[in-house]
Amino acid sequence: METQTTQGLARVKEICQDRPRRAMELRDQGKKVMGYLCIYPVVEIMTALDLVPYRIFGDMRETVTKADKYLPSVVCPFLRSLLDLGLKGKYDFLDGVTFAHTCDVGAQFAGNWKINIRTPFSHFVDIPHTTHEGARDYHKGLLMDYKKAMESYFGITISSERLKKAIEMHNQQRSLVRDLYDLKKPDPPLISGAETLQVLVAIMSLPVEEGNTLLMAVIEEVKDRKDGPVKKSSRLLVWGSIIDDPALLEMIESFDANVVMDDTCVGSRAFFTDVALTEDPLDGLADHYLVDIKCPRTYQESAHGEMKIDYMADLRNRFDYLGDYVRDYKVDGVILQALRYCDAHGYEVPGIKDYLESLGLQSIYIEHNYTEAAFGPLRTRVQGFLEIID
Amino acid sequence: MSTEEKKRSINRLKSMYPLRALMDKNYKAAQDAKKEGKPVAWCMQESYASPFLNAIDLDSVYPENYGTLCAATGAATPFLERSEAEGFPSHLCGYAQNCLGYTAQMADLDWEIPPGSPQGGIPKPVILVGSGMGCDARFKWFQALGRYMDVPLWVIEFPTAFGKENLMEGAHERSIQFLIKELKGFAAFLEKLTGRKMDWAKLREDVDNTMSMDAVWWEINELRVARPGPMHSRDFWSSMSASLFRTTDPEGVTELYRSMLEEVKHRVKNKISAINVEEKYRMTFIGLPPWHALKFFDQLAERGWNFVTEWAYHPPRPIDLTGIEDPVERLVRYRHQGTGHLIDVSFSPEEAAKIKKEMGQQDSMSQLVLKPILDFKIDGGFLHPLLTCRTATASLNLLGESMIKKFHVPFISIEGDIVDTRLFDPVDALRKAEAFEETMDHYKEIRKEAGLEW
């Protein structure tokens, strides 16, 4: 039985305080829980198998004590934290876990998890680095393998209709998240950046229908709320690598600024385009997960096989969606943030700054090591940046 | 033998020197090509690119290798500083930072070589060939060069599922067909870019010559299981470039490797060691070496540490491709050998079936990966975590722990870098190494108690 007693944002808080609780309740009722790393594993396949898709996160408030043995300190601090939690048994409730080639360290992390955590089922989905037709076809084949492995392990065959239905449900979730983000367009926004993040963390812990119900309740509540964020001098966009804890956004919003938009993987990145409903549903899924998701782990090119690179045209091709966010959400400054040792995001920094400059926007780049302590020195830098753009 | 030679702790192979010198010739060739108006390409090693570039008469230049050269000659620091000044984070790949700084300087100079660049520098390319193989940097770095150069970038894919997923029915073959299609697309692009036709016969010849060359290089490395170890990792690192960073003359390089094969055979037959003191510890180097501090290994050799093998930069295993005529397919099937095949050729049929069955149920640290520990009878692993290379660092500890667990072989972990000289402390490293000898002695006893051979 579900122990839910709260609704809307209160329910979001409750879930975030103890994320595994609901998943474990569902498990007690006979559901299987499938953990997944990053936004590349196809949640629609999990839903079509009636599994609970459960995104696995680290915990920046917990000191890494066990993962040092397997992951050196000079690799992604988020993945180190995640492995640490796994080694401490905090993900023992998972029936399976799906990895993808999100980045090179992410791929090696998958091996590390498989060997040391031993979740009953695991699968690694390779992802091409390019997005042209051949890569899409190849990606579709990889998803076919994933589907086959899941069907074989869980003993259920996924019909095309069932997969299409799952796509529709997740598209509805994407649409609801966009509706939620619409509430960030007014000045002041009706929901803060930190609150938005918590809503998304919560829905990434729930079956899709339950997440959609929660989103609808949150949207209704936020529309009518009187205790939302206050008007501030700056409207910011936060770009970069994973943020799964509200502390960084709370720190930024403790100054004279509202975070009105983001481009991160627990934020808008997974939700701002729908999966096309194609005759063979794997076609739409293969395209969406390879092409539509704009993570720097993928090599995006203006046109396959260009003879000459026009730098600004290339930047526009890669980052114009950010220009749309800037316009739609009336952004007046951008914070580029990355976890230390995140190479995929690191290479983008000068280019993205050039792009933003071409729009007349100021930006700042900050790095942190996935601990709250790291935010101390960053406070001064963020404050200084806000003074510049004010 | 001169007094100076007698003092050396590592007994260097004479046949290594001409192989090492080849890289200098390659830089000179690229500069000459540029002077003659011939275009050059910048590409990543092991990216499949070079045989295609050779077949369309484009010279290959390897900025990764140039990074090692800049590091070894102490020239990297200003390039690293320039990269950081351009806004690239300082934890990015050292080779990439070196190249980004170098290119930014070259752009300032209207594409003249920055003064003082080692080996005369590398000229501006007409194409960048990135790779999905190995690490994200190998295409992200080239994409970032678009800030300075308007040259096109082609990224050659490299499927990376090597665990149980690669054993699924049809999975590996699908990746082979994908790569073949990718490379044919690359060839078509090169034709369009250069306005020339691919010389497919030349490609076939080049692929076959490369396979022959690598086969000799493979055989040399197989001989290194001998006790005492006949060839030190320093000689390996000095000689590998000839195979990794392709030349236009694989036949000539093959001859040099054949000469090395004879020298190593002679050493094995006569029990001549790669170090000039008693071989006390047979070591494996895990990671990428500190190119700027290779002399450190001479100090370890003085203490009886013989680095008999290493985990990076080895050629693909020779494979019988009889009946496959298409040069592109030959190249792909040679370079991209499936997990199942590699297990089959590395173990007895019974062992192979067991390993594959276990992998299918749950991935484990591959016995394939750990096999050299057993084959080479390793006493200790030297892990080298790098501040600027996640790829070569992320799995080091896992490997080390697996060595202890499976074979009671301990490891030492010494932090450093491939390019940045500031990140390696040889004095501290030597102190740790001395203390590690007791650990290795202890584990020798444990292995004996466990009934292991060494």
Side-chain angles (χ1 to χ4, degrees):
Chain A
M1 280 292 284
E2 190 181 345
T3 55
Q4 180 178 338
T5 53
T6 52
Q7 300 289 330
L9 288 173
R11 173 71 177 144
V12 165
K13 267 199 175 147
E14 191 177 79
I15 291 170
C16 289
Q17 275 164 7
D18 186 6
R19 279 188 78 224
R21 186 172 157 192
R22 178 66 185 138
M24 287 200 263
E25 282 174 356
L26 291 163
R27 205 164 179 264
D28 289 345
Q29 293 164 29
K31 288 256 193 186
K32 302 278 187 196
V33 183
M34 175 61 62
Y36 65 98
L37 175 67
C38 194
I39 51 177
Y40 282 90
V42 178
V43 285
E44 288 83 353
I45 291 177
M46 301 173 203
T47 295
L49 280 168
D50 201 25
L51 308 176
V52 179
Y54 187 92
R55 184 154 174 195
I56 51 176
F57 292 129
D59 183 352
M60 61 189 293
R61 292 153 207 272
E62 179 154 341
T63 307
V64 171
T65 54
K66 295 207 164 197
D68 283 325
K69 192 173 174 185
Y70 300 105
L71 276 178
S73 59
V74 292
V75 302
C76 174
F78 163 74
L79 291 174
R80 275 167 46 81
S81 168
L82 181 51
L83 186 70
D84 196 62
L85 297 184
L87 290 166
K88 287 170 179 166
K90 297 199 175 173
Y91 282 112
D92 284 356
F93 64 92
L94 298 177
D95 295 289
V97 63
T98 303
F99 304 99
H101 194 293
T102 55
C103 61
D104 198 47
V105 176
Q108 294 193 48
F109 170 86
N112 225 314
W113 182 288
K114 284 173 168 185
I115 290 163
N116 291 309
I117 314 289
R118 300 227 165 242
T119 309
F121 169 84
S122 66
H123 191 91
F124 172 78
V125 185
D126 191 17
I127 312 265
H129 288 103
T130 56
T131 58
H132 59 274
E133 195 184 345
R136 292 182 204 189
D137 290 346
Y138 181 62
H139 186 222
K140 183 184 171 186
L142 293 162
L143 296 189
M144 283 164 61
D145 281 351
Y146 174 53
K147 179 170 163 279
K148 204 189 296 176
M150 292 273 274
E151 288 174 330
S152 166
Y153 183 80
F154 291 102
I156 303 169
T157 302
I158 305 173
S159 69
S160 182
E161 299 320 309
R162 203 175 163 117
L163 189 52
K164 284 179 183 172
K165 178 74 185 154
I167 292 171
E168 284 172 357
M169 288 156 72
H170 282 279
N171 276 347
Q172 188 195 2
Q173 183 155 98
R174 294 182 179 102
S175 172
L176 286 166
V177 169
R178 293 195 294 270
D179 291 345
L180 180 72
Y181 272 72
D182 278 346
L183 303 177
K184 296 157 78 70
K185 287 178 179 169
D187 194 18
L190 297 175
I191 183 166
S192 72
E195 287 173 322
T196 310
L197 177 74
Q198 285 182 305
V199 174
L200 299 188
V201 166
I203 63 169
M204 289 174 178
S205 324
L206 301 172
V208 64
E209 315 92 306
E210 202 173 320
N212 290 353
T213 305
L214 177 61
L215 272 168
M216 284 186 254
V218 168
I219 289 165
E220 284 312 305
E221 179 185 338
V222 169
K223 269 182 187 170
D224 297 331
R225 78 192 301 196
K226 302 285 181 249
D227 61 343
V230 296
K231 190 172 164 64
K232 292 183 179 175
S233 299
S234 302
R235 293 172 60 83
L236 301 178
L237 185 156
V238 173
W239 170 92
S241 53
I242 187 167
I243 304 175
D244 61 358
D245 185 294
L248 176 65
L249 299 178
E250 282 169 353
M251 182 269 277
I252 295 168
E253 291 179 323
S254 71
F255 297 112
D256 191 14
N258 283 312
V259 175
V260 295
M261 191 49 191
D262 67 73
D263 177 28
T264 65
C265 67
V266 190
S268 67
R269 207 173 273 172
F271 297 100
F272 266 52
T273 49
D274 284 347
V275 175
L277 281 165
T278 47
E279 190 177 340
D280 179 348
L282 285 179
D283 284 320
L285 289 168
D287 271 13
H288 175 79
Y289 280 90
L290 181 63
V291 184
D292 293 347
I293 295 176
K294 302 293 185 210
C295 174
R297 58 81 55 203
T298 306
Y299 169 53
Q300 305 279 352
E301 54 188 339
S302 304
H304 189 47
E306 287 172 299
M307 288 292 132
K308 196 171 181 178
I309 298 292
D310 175 327
Y311 180 55
M312 285 315 295
D314 180 51
L315 292 181
R316 283 193 294 276
N317 171 61
R318 285 156 62 193
F319 303 124
D320 259 354
Y321 70 98
L322 291 176
D324 294 343
Y325 294 163
V326 167
R327 185 191 61 233
D328 295 346
Y329 293 82
K330 298 186 176 56
V331 168
D332 37 41
V334 179
I335 293 183
L336 308 171
Q337 64 80 36
L339 290 165
R340 189 149 174 78
Y341 307 125
C342 179
D343 293 346
H345 284 85
Y347 282 102
E348 301 287 83
V349 173
I352 207 164
K353 282 176 89 73
D354 289 343
Y355 173 79
L356 294 169
E357 263 178 43
S358 77
L359 301 180
L361 270 183
Q362 299 262 13
S363 63
I364 183 177
Y365 173 62
I366 57 176
E367 271 180 9
H368 57 96
N369 65 357
Y370 198 68
T371 61
E372 275 192 295
F375 298 154
L378 296 183
R379 287 181 64 87
T380 317
R381 293 196 60 208
V382 170
Q383 197 169 14
F385 173 66
L386 293 173
E387 282 166 13
I388 292 169
I389 62 170
D390 195 10
Chain B
M1 195 179 282
S2 71
T3 312
E4 190 180 310
E5 278 177 324
K6 276 180 192 167
K7 281 180 190 167
R8 283 183 180 167
S9 52
I10 297 176
N11 186 13
R12 305 298 297 259
L13 289 165
K14 289 187 174 50
S15 50
M16 171 274 296
Y17 295 104
L19 282 161
R20 189 170 69 180
L22 269 181
M23 287 316 293
D24 300 348
K25 285 185 190 166
N26 284 357
Y27 286 112
K28 177 78 170 44
Q31 289 149 18
D32 290 347
K34 191 74 182 172
K35 276 181 202 157
E36 291 163 18
K38 277 178 70 181
V40 302
W42 286 7
C43 55
M44 296 291 172
Q45 55 101 343
E46 295 182 40
S47 68
Y48 293 91
S50 287
F52 289 85
L53 296 168
N54 288 348
I56 208 156
D57 208 19
L58 279 173
D59 264 37
S60 304
V61 172
Y62 299 91
E64 284 165 294
N65 182 257
Y66 194 64
T68 68
L69 183 65
C70 291
T73 55
T77 305
F79 298 139
L80 300 181
E81 287 169 353
R82 176 63 187 267
S83 169
E84 201 169 345
E86 291 285 307
F88 292 100
S90 58
H91 61 72
L92 297 181
C93 166
Y95 300 154
Q97 290 184 69
N98 184 72
C99 181
L100 287 159
Y102 174 87
T103 308
Q105 280 200 23
M106 203 165 38
D108 290 347
L109 299 168
D110 198 20
W111 304 108
E112 292 298 318
I113 303 287
S117 300
Q119 292 295 338
I122 53 176
K124 186 188 176 192
V126 295
I127 180 176
L128 300 164
V129 190
S131 170
M133 184 261 172
C135 64
D136 305 320
R138 288 155 59 89
F139 62 96
K140 295 301 297 179
W141 147 18
F142 275 9
Q143 187 176 32
L145 287 175
R147 195 164 193 242
Y148 311 103
M149 295 195 278
D150 61 359
V151 299
L153 165 60
W154 186 279
V155 176
I156 298 176
E157 288 277 7
F158 192 90
T160 50
F162 292 110
K164 66 187 172 80
E165 294 79 8
N166 191 253
L167 295 177
M168 287 182 76
E169 192 183 345
H172 183 67
E173 184 57 28
R174 207 171 45 239
S175 68
I176 291 279
Q177 295 307 324
F178 172 48
L179 278 172
I180 291 170
K181 205 172 161 188
E182 284 289 288
L183 291 176
K184 291 193 171 172
F186 176 51
F189 176 72
L190 288 177
E191 288 185 339
K192 203 171 153 192
L193 179 75
T194 59
R196 296 196 289 265
K197 287 282 172 199
M198 282 287 294
D199 184 340
W200 293 101
K202 191 174 175 186
L203 179 73
R204 169 66 192 253
E205 191 186 344
D206 197 272
V207 168
D208 289 355
N209 286 339
T210 301
M211 287 169 61
S212 302
M213 175 185 75
D214 282 354
V216 182
W217 183 218
W218 173 272
E219 196 181 343
I220 291 168
N221 285 293
E222 290 289 281
L223 290 175
R224 295 171 68 196
V225 296
R227 188 182 281 262
M231 175 179 172
H232 193 276
S233 292
R234 281 206 66 183
D235 279 341
F236 174 87
W237 292 322
S238 295
S239 313
M240 68 175 196
S241 296
S243 160
L244 271 183
F245 302 108
R246 290 270 303 100
T247 76
T248 51
D249 181 23
E251 284 172 303
V253 179
T254 306
E255 282 310 307
L256 296 178
Y257 277 132
R258 283 209 179 102
S259 164
M260 177 173 270
L261 178 64
E262 291 312 310
E263 189 177 1
V264 175
K265 274 183 181 170
H266 172 77
R267 282 193 177 187
V268 172
K269 190 178 169 191
N270 295 287
K271 296 194 176 303
I272 298 170
S273 175
I275 57 173
N276 286 325
V277 297
E278 182 198 349
E279 179 184 271
K280 284 189 192 162
Y281 304 106
R282 291 171 64 82
M283 305 299 297
T284 180
F285 185 88
I286 307 178
L288 307 184
W291 300 111
H292 46 80
L294 293 177
K295 284 200 183 322
F296 174 68
F297 292 92
D298 295 45
Q299 291 175 285
L300 295 179
E302 283 169 18
R303 305 184 62 82
W305 293 38
N306 194 0
F307 281 80
V308 296
T309 188
E310 51 296 299
W311 292 53
Y313 301 127
H314 282 255
R317 192 185 181 98
I319 184 172
D320 180 9
L321 295 175
T322 308
I324 294 166
E325 296 303 320
D326 177 10
V328 180
E329 185 173 351
R330 285 177 75 79
L331 179 65
V332 171
R333 290 193 185 279
Y334 170 58
R335 294 206 66 90
H336 192 63
Q337 298 181 31
T339 306
H341 165 76
L342 289 171
I343 292 171
D344 285 341
V345 296
S346 303
F347 297 93
S348 70
E350 296 76 26
E351 284 173 320
K354 190 173 168 231
I355 291 168
K356 284 195 261 189
K357 191 179 171 195
E358 283 170 3
M359 276 183 76
Q361 288 161 348
Q362 177 77 51
D363 268 324
S364 54
M365 172 50 72
S366 167
Q367 292 185 48
L368 197 60
V369 177
L370 292 173
K371 198 166 178 289
I373 301 295
L374 189 63
D375 292 347
F376 285 80
K377 305 207 168 19
I378 294 296
D379 293 307
F382 188 110
L383 274 55
H384 188 222
L386 307 168
L387 184 67
T388 71
C389 182
R390 249 63 54 204
T391 301
T393 299
S395 293
L396 289 184
N397 291 5
L398 180 64
L399 271 170
E401 292 295 334
S402 302
M403 282 162 46
I404 293 182
K405 199 171 160 188
K406 191 154 178 63
F407 296 119
H408 307 295
V409 172
F411 65 89
I412 182 172
S413 184
I414 304 284
E415 286 191 9
D417 196 50
I418 38 181
V419 172
D420 196 331
T421 53
R422 297 164 296 187
L423 301 173
F424 182 71
D425 180 348
V427 175
D428 185 52
L430 191 61
R431 188 179 50 76
K432 285 178 181 162
E434 286 168 6
F436 182 61
E437 288 173 1
E438 275 186 36
T439 309
M440 288 195 283
D441 292 339
H442 169 70
Y443 273 94
K444 264 185 189 173
E445 293 303 313
I446 291 183
R447 285 199 298 277
K448 204 182 285 175
E449 285 166 22
L452 288 164
E453 278 180 65
W454 75 107

